[in-house]
Amino acid sequence: MIPSNFNYIKAKSVDEAIALMDQHGDDARLLAGGHSLVPSLKLRLTDYDHLIDVSKIPELRNIEEQDGVIHIGAMVTHGEIVKSDLIKEKLSIFSQAADLIGDVQVRNLGTIGGSIAHADPAADWPGVLLATDAHIHVQGKGGSRKIAAEDFFLGLYSTALEDGEMITSIGVPVHTGAKSTYIKFMQPASRFAIVGCAAVINGNGARVAFNGVSATPFRDKDVEASLDRGDSAEAAASNAAEGVSIMSDHFASEAYRKQMAKVYCKRALASL
C-alpha cells in the first residue's frame, strides 16, 4: 500500500526539530531510520500530516567517551555501532547486539534512538540497555532530562518519552574488566528476538536482562541474586523468567518462550 500524503521536513538541528514538533503537535512524527514508521504508514496503521526527518542532524550522530561514560547519539546507525572501534574496545556487548540486528540494509539505516523510541518488545536494544545500566538523554521544549533505562520502557510500544520530547543520546558507563554478552533466539526472517538475553558481570555484581520474552523488557533480579550468591550458570538460569507475564504468539507459546529464556540465559552466562 501507499501511505497518505504528508509534508516531509528535514530538520537541521535538535532545536529546530523540537520547535517543529511543538508547532504541529499530534499531526507530526519524527522520522529516524524509518524501518518501523514507514511500514506502519504504508499499512495505514498510522497517519501523520508532517514527518520531521532527524536522521542527519550532526549532533545526534556522534559516539564519544566523557568521564567514563560512552555517549551514543540517537541517530547513530546499528552498522556504525558495529564498526566503531571505541564500542568494540569498551562496550563489546553493543557490537554484538548491533551485528545481530536485521540485515545489512537495516543495520545501515536503522538507528539506536529510533529503535528504543519505538519500544518493540522483540527489539534487541532494550535488554542491552537494561543490562549495561544505560541512561537515555531526551530533550523537549521544557529542556533536557536523563532517564534510566529501567524507567524508560513502560510496556508494549510504550516509553517514558513525553509529548514533544525526542531522544538525543544514550549514555553507557564503562566498567574496566567487565564481562558481557548478548545472545538471542531469533525469528529467522526478521531476525527479531523471540528471546534475547543480555548479561553483564562487573565489580558491582551481575545484571541480566531480557527482551522478546514479555511485553516490557526486564531485568531478572532472581537470576542476578543467584549469580551474586555464587551459584553456577545452570543454577542461576533455572530462575529465569519466573513470575513474569510472558508473551505468546504464532512464533512461540508462553511455555516454549519461558523455557527458551532459561536456555538462552544459561548459554549467555556460560559464555562469560
Side-chain angles (χ1 to χ4, degrees):
M1 292 180 66
I2 299 173
S4 301
N5 291 335
F6 56 81
N7 182 33
Y8 172 82
I9 310 168
K10 193 169 186 177
K12 298 180 178 63
S13 68
V14 170
D15 288 342
E16 181 184 4
I18 291 170
L20 287 166
M21 284 194 291
D22 183 54
Q23 176 184 346
H24 297 296
D26 292 339
D27 292 329
R29 187 75 166 181
L30 295 181
L31 175 66
H35 285 286
S36 300
L37 179 58
V38 172
S40 177
L41 291 170
K42 291 175 72 175
L43 291 170
R44 304 292 179 96
L45 298 175
T46 54
D47 188 16
Y48 299 99
D49 293 333
H50 308 277
L51 293 189
I52 304 165
D53 187 347
V54 296
S55 62
K56 302 302 181 184
I57 295 177
E59 60 205 275
L60 302 181
R61 299 190 58 83
N62 296 323
I63 301 175
E64 57 188 6
E65 183 176 7
Q66 296 178 352
D67 300 323
V69 177
I70 292 180
H71 295 274
I72 304 171
M75 294 300 103
V76 172
T77 67
H78 313 308
E80 288 168 337
I81 291 173
V82 172
K83 296 172 186 175
S84 167
D85 290 334
L86 178 61
I87 297 290
K88 288 177 185 176
E89 179 186 355
K90 297 191 175 183
L91 285 178
S92 60
I93 187 174
F94 275 70
S95 300
Q96 280 182 296
D99 201 33
L100 292 172
I101 294 174
D103 54 24
V104 173
Q105 290 90 337
V106 170
R107 291 193 292 275
N108 284 344
L109 288 175
T111 65
I112 186 171
S115 176
I116 65 175
H118 185 55
D120 190 318
D124 300 294
W125 289 124
V128 174
L129 299 189
L130 287 170
T132 55
D133 195 22
H135 285 76
I136 294 90
H137 297 263
V138 306
Q139 187 172 330
K141 185 179 178 181
S144 303
R145 63 190 182 112
K146 183 172 75 171
I147 309 170
E150 289 188 61
D151 299 323
F152 185 80
F153 301 102
L154 303 181
L156 188 68
Y157 302 109
S158 176
T159 72
L161 278 172
E162 296 179 355
D163 290 343
E165 285 187 327
M166 63 182 291
I167 299 169
T168 55
S169 68
I170 295 90
V172 190
V174 175
H175 295 279
T176 303
K179 293 185 279 187
S180 63
T181 191
Y182 174 74
I183 63 173
K184 67 177 177 179
F185 173 38
M186 68 177 74
Q187 200 281 334
S190 69
R191 291 170 62 93
F192 273 112
I194 296 172
V195 170
C197 181
V200 175
I201 296 179
N202 56 42
N204 297 325
R207 294 176 69 97
V208 178
F210 286 96
N211 45 273
V213 176
S214 180
T216 308
F218 63 94
R219 277 181 63 190
D220 200 315
K221 302 295 182 66
D222 290 338
V223 173
E224 293 175 356
S226 183
L227 290 171
D228 290 340
R229 289 194 301 267
D231 293 344
S232 67
E234 182 174 5
S238 68
N239 299 301
E242 293 294 337
V244 175
S245 176
I246 297 175
M247 292 192 297
S248 178
D249 53 30
H250 58 288
F251 295 127
S253 67
E254 179 180 339
Y256 186 67
R257 206 177 232 108
K258 184 174 183 178
Q259 180 59 26
M260 287 301 98
K262 297 179 188 296
V263 169
Y264 276 78
C265 182
K266 178 183 174 182
R267 292 180 183 179
L269 296 178
S271 72
L272 296 177

